[in-house]
Amino acid sequence: MSHSIDNHTIYKTTTTLLLTALAASELFGQPPATLQADLNRTKAPVSPTLYGLMTEEINYSYDGGLYAELIRNRTFRADWSGILNWFLIENGTSSAKVSIDFQEGPSKALSSSARLEVVKADAQSPAGLLNEGYWGFAVRPNTRYTGSLFAKTAAPGALPVKVALVADQSGAVLASADVPVSGAAWKEYKFEMQSGSVAASSANHLEITVDRAATLWLQLVSLFPPTYHARPNGNRIDLMEKLAAMHPSFLRFPGGNYLEGGNIATRFDWKKMIGPLVDRPTHPSTWSYHSSDGMGLLEFLLWCEDLHMDPVLAVYAGYSLGGQVVKPGPDLDPFVKDALDEIEYVTGQASTKGGALRARDGHPAPFKLHYVEVGNEDNFDKSKSYDGRYAQFFQAIKAQYPDLQVIATMPVTGVRPDVVDDHYYKREQGMFDLVRQYDNTDRKGPKIFVGEWATREGTPTPNMGAALGDAAFMTGLERNSDVVVMASYAPLLVNVNPGGMQWSTDLIGYDALDSYGSPAYYAQVMFSSCLGDHTVESGLSGGGDKVFYSVTASANSKVCLKLVNAASTDQPIAITLSGLGGGTHPALLSSLKANTNWATNTITHPDQIVPVRSNVAVQGERLEHVLPARSIQVLEIDR
Ligand code: AHR
């Protein structure tokens, strides 16, 4: 036996498998494989920024997702059916009506408001408005909620306005605050409310009521639970913790198609998404719903700061998803200037115009920025204008920021991009076929950013078959990480409620209350948790065609061995790690496996497929091992 494992269950299993491994072929259904790696022979460097995140407003990723705002349609948008997500409350004998007042709003950006006219109400029969939230409101025990609203009233004196979180079924008030609104001028009111020892649930709604006849105008009604790092206007704690566990080194934002917009007017217009929320007009997103724009440019940067990620800033490049194109040349100049202003907002000292704006928004210190991406998927531009558009952005950015790496979204002629962004969305077999995609890439050409990729099997979140395709693909990324400098799965997030998803196969699922990682999420966690700084000379022979591996190492610290068996039978494998040396090497084995490719995690069964970790000891340089059927394993060995 070459190694032992101290977890009891795994120890017994592994011992049995090891004893039989060498006479294994008919027993395990696969001929034994041999993996040889020479730790003394470095092959290529591994990019320290290989694993990161890609994000956009899709699948209710921010609104109804990561962005912790609880109120849906806090700015009272309406359509032919009335004010979306808000409902009139007329309790008992009260009577009221609600309409949009297009003449009254607290700011230029929010120039309308909800006008609530209560004709009759009293303490027993209050009237007001109800918000349904993003498929409910998560209320947890002993939790503080922080709210604000803009209001004015025609009532004389102070009008007592009650804000409450109410259980849908029982009508019980779970938390509430009294907000005295006074005067005919718009003012912002802040309030807090605290839940008691209630059961955690999302089957709740919000009520805003008054107990007398009065007219009340409301705009920008907001309510936040506690957020990650207690940031005001911040992010959901459970989702941030799941992202942190992926050890991401960068965040590519703000999209994706969300950057492009359906047309030019609905692009990610960063200048309209900074500063106080009341100055953000909101906009229709590419993915069929409206964006509150609470997640604006600074919020993305703070997200990077919180998770120690480098921003990879994508700038709008004159092509929108619906086909609108801004011609290269003078027409494009204003958009290039917008991008330069945006870069200055991110990186400029507070003495610059952009830096001063950022300081006004509460962050005087500049952010570090190494990468700017020009556009998104410009291969879909039928006018074929990207060569010209990219060159115009490239030259302007390099003239002012020579150290920035400028990413192109497709191969271009004219200027030579620093990095090219490749996207892959495939079925499981398609990802296996891509495992060697970068083995022969020209090392003198641009670097590669795999800015979006996923094995698309399973919905809303990937199943084990997808995780196996992903893991196989990642072995190829690691082997070629001298040229593939960054990679990010997409889409990252999905709200699993009916209507929440616009794109199936998304890494992390959630509803208002809970969240879970898919098997593919755990594959990412495992791969990014152990990554050496170089690859070594290695080779695999024998075994089936669904066995994949990667060996990375860091001198004098660790060896990271990744093994993937996507076959439905166990795979015996004899591993030699030359140069590891004799003696005992403590190691950590993480193992993810399932009985079928369809096995998966769900919002109600979040932990069916999770990594099992165990401490093991590798004796000497040889391991006789059996890779279970449909498994992903990462072995981190101390050197
Ligand atoms: O990830 C979903 C979409 O796929 C992205 O918005 C787009 O860039 C790609 O086509």
Side-chain angles (χ1 to χ4, degrees):
M1 192 170 92
S2 305
H3 71 201
S4 61
I5 296 178
D6 66 9
N7 173 291
H8 184 65
T9 313
I10 295 180
Y11 176 77
K12 276 172 66 182
T13 312
T14 306
T15 303
T16 311
L17 294 175
L18 290 175
L19 289 175
T20 50
L22 292 181
S25 62
E26 76 277 17
L27 190 63
F28 294 105
Q30 294 287 359
T34 305
L35 170 57
Q36 301 222 314
D38 189 342
L39 301 180
N40 292 324
R41 288 171 62 211
T42 295
K43 189 162 182 219
V46 168
S47 166
T49 56
L50 181 59
Y51 293 117
L53 305 179
M54 185 274 169
T55 178
E56 65 175 312
E57 183 59 286
I58 184 174
N59 303 324
Y60 292 84
S61 286
Y62 313 145
D63 291 350
L66 183 69
Y67 179 56
E69 173 66 85
L70 295 174
I71 310 281
R72 188 163 183 179
N73 188 16
R74 65 187 178 191
T75 53
F76 297 101
R77 284 175 308 96
D79 68 8
W80 58 269
S81 66
I83 303 177
L84 301 167
N85 315 112
W86 290 90
F87 302 86
L88 189 64
I89 300 171
E90 290 175 306
N91 280 331
T93 55
S94 70
S95 118
K97 54 188 178 189
V98 64
S99 58
I100 292 292
D101 188 334
F102 291 99
Q103 311 306 318
E104 284 294 342
S107 65
K108 203 168 148 221
L110 300 178
S111 57
S112 65
S113 56
R115 181 179 190 272
L116 177 70
E117 195 182 334
V118 179
V119 181
K120 189 174 163 213
D122 57 39
Q124 280 68 48
S125 300
L129 293 175
L130 178 157
N131 187 266
E132 63 179 336
Y134 290 98
W135 295 275
F137 281 74
V139 179
R140 292 172 215 278
N142 308 311
T143 302
R144 199 149 199 81
Y145 296 83
T146 311
S148 60
L149 53 85
F150 282 80
K152 56 179 236 160
T153 180
L159 174 68
V161 174
K162 185 171 184 121
V163 185
L165 285 165
V166 178
D168 290 344
Q169 299 304 324
S170 66
V173 172
L174 306 172
S176 68
D178 293 312
V179 184
V181 172
S182 59
W186 283 104
K187 276 185 247 163
E188 185 179 18
Y189 297 86
K190 302 208 167 171
F191 57 91
E192 293 199 333
M193 46 197 191
Q194 169 93 24
S195 62
S197 47
V198 298
S201 153
S202 62
N204 310 302
H205 61 267
L206 180 107
E207 296 187 1
I208 302 176
T209 51
V210 295
D211 63 0
R212 63 200 66 182
T215 305
L216 175 69
W217 286 262
L218 289 167
Q219 184 51 285
L220 198 60
V221 178
S222 173
L223 188 69
F224 277 80
T227 58
Y228 193 74
H229 286 182
R231 284 206 187 273
N233 198 43
N235 292 336
R236 243 174 90 157
I237 294 169
D238 58 336
L239 292 176
M240 286 294 272
E241 285 174 346
K242 285 197 169 57
L243 298 178
M246 293 172 71
H247 304 285
S249 61
F250 67 86
L251 178 70
R252 174 181 177 236
F253 67 86
N257 294 156
Y258 179 60
L259 167 74
E260 299 165 35
N263 52 52
I264 297 171
T266 58
R267 71 191 185 280
F268 183 89
D269 195 352
W270 71 273
K271 284 181 173 146
K272 295 182 179 162
M273 301 180 207
I274 55 170
L277 297 179
V278 73
D279 295 329
R280 303 186 194 186
T282 79
H283 82 291
S285 84
T286 317
W287 293 102
S288 79
Y289 60 95
H290 204 89
S291 170
S292 75
D293 295 347
M295 180 70 86
L297 180 56
L298 184 63
E299 286 77 20
F300 283 110
L301 294 165
L302 296 174
W303 175 5
C304 289
E305 196 165 272
D306 281 349
L307 297 190
H308 312 292
M309 304 182 288
D310 276 352
V312 174
L313 179 68
V315 296
Y316 179 75
Y319 164 69
S320 292
L321 196 61
Q324 261 188 316
V325 176
V326 184
K327 274 199 305 239
D331 289 358
L332 195 61
D333 280 343
F335 296 93
V336 174
K337 176 161 187 318
D338 254 17
L340 293 174
D341 290 348
E342 189 173 3
I343 295 168
E344 188 176 88
Y345 182 93
V346 176
T347 64
Q349 296 297 329
S351 52
T352 63
K353 200 172 157 204
L357 260 185
R358 189 196 59 241
R360 176 209 68 177
D361 295 342
H363 202 286
F367 292 89
K368 286 210 176 73
L369 182 70
H370 302 293
Y371 291 99
V372 171
E373 179 158 7
V374 178
N376 178 64
E377 294 191 341
D378 290 84
N379 48 314
F380 287 110
D381 167 11
K382 291 201 180 89
S383 76
K384 309 277 176 228
S385 63
Y386 190 60
D387 283 349
R389 288 187 290 110
Y390 178 78
Q392 198 168 331
F393 276 90
F394 180 93
Q395 276 145 5
I397 293 170
K398 289 283 184 184
Q400 235 171 290
Y401 302 97
D403 293 337
L404 277 181
Q405 298 286 290
V406 183
I407 304 169
T409 69
M410 61 180 288
V412 288
T413 54
V415 291
R416 178 185 180 281
D418 298 308
V419 184
V420 174
D421 180 358
D422 289 348
H423 294 179
Y424 302 105
Y425 292 105
K426 303 273 184 193
R427 300 285 290 271
E428 187 188 6
Q429 184 58 49
M431 291 313 263
F432 297 155
D433 296 343
L434 285 173
V435 168
R436 304 220 150 262
Q437 175 78 350
Y438 294 110
D439 286 4
N440 300 312
T441 299
D442 180 2
R443 266 44 185 180
K444 296 197 198 73
K447 300 287 188 196
I448 305 292
F449 173 27
V450 185
E452 294 180 29
W453 67 271
T455 310
R456 298 186 75 192
E457 306 257 3
T459 186
T461 49
N463 58 28
M464 187 64 191
L468 290 164
D470 287 356
F473 182 62
M474 285 190 282
T475 63
L477 296 180
E478 292 192 359
R479 189 173 54 251
N480 290 292
S481 184
D482 55 327
V483 66
V484 182
V485 288
M486 298 184 292
S488 43
Y489 187 102
L492 185 61
L493 299 168
V494 64
N495 188 314
V496 299
N497 278 292
M501 181 183 76
Q502 288 80 51
W503 180 284
S504 71
T505 313
D506 308 291
L507 205 60
I508 298 170
Y510 48 86
D511 59 16
L513 193 65
D514 297 312
S515 57
Y516 70 97
S518 61
Y521 164 79
Y522 288 113
Q524 296 266 336
V525 169
M526 289 163 64
F527 268 61
S528 62
S529 296
C530 186
L531 188 65
D533 57 23
H534 62 272
T535 56
V536 298
E537 294 294 344
S538 64
L540 176 72
S541 58
D545 60 359
K546 290 190 178 170
V547 180
F548 308 91
Y549 80 98
S550 144
V551 191
T552 64
S554 297
N556 305 323
S557 75
K558 63 181 175 188
V559 178
C560 299
L561 175 60
K562 278 125 187 193
L563 299 165
V564 182
N565 179 16
S568 56
T569 48
D570 292 350
Q571 174 66 62
I573 184 165
I575 302 166
T576 306
L577 297 171
S578 308
L580 188 62
T584 303
H585 305 277
L588 180 70
L589 178 69
S590 299
S591 187
L592 189 75
K593 65 189 176 82
N595 294 327
T596 78
N597 277 15
W598 288 99
T600 197
N601 296 330
T602 64
I603 193 80
T604 48
H605 296 91
D607 297 327
Q608 298 184 124
I609 302 167
V610 294
V612 175
R613 295 190 177 88
S614 43
N615 294 313
V616 302
V618 176
Q619 305 292 349
E621 298 186 338
R622 272 181 62 77
L623 286 88
E624 303 292 344
H625 189 52
V626 176
L627 265 175
R630 298 184 192 86
S631 71
I632 300 165
Q633 296 196 325
V634 175
L635 187 62
E636 176 171 352
I637 309 168
D638 287 354
R639 300 181 78 173

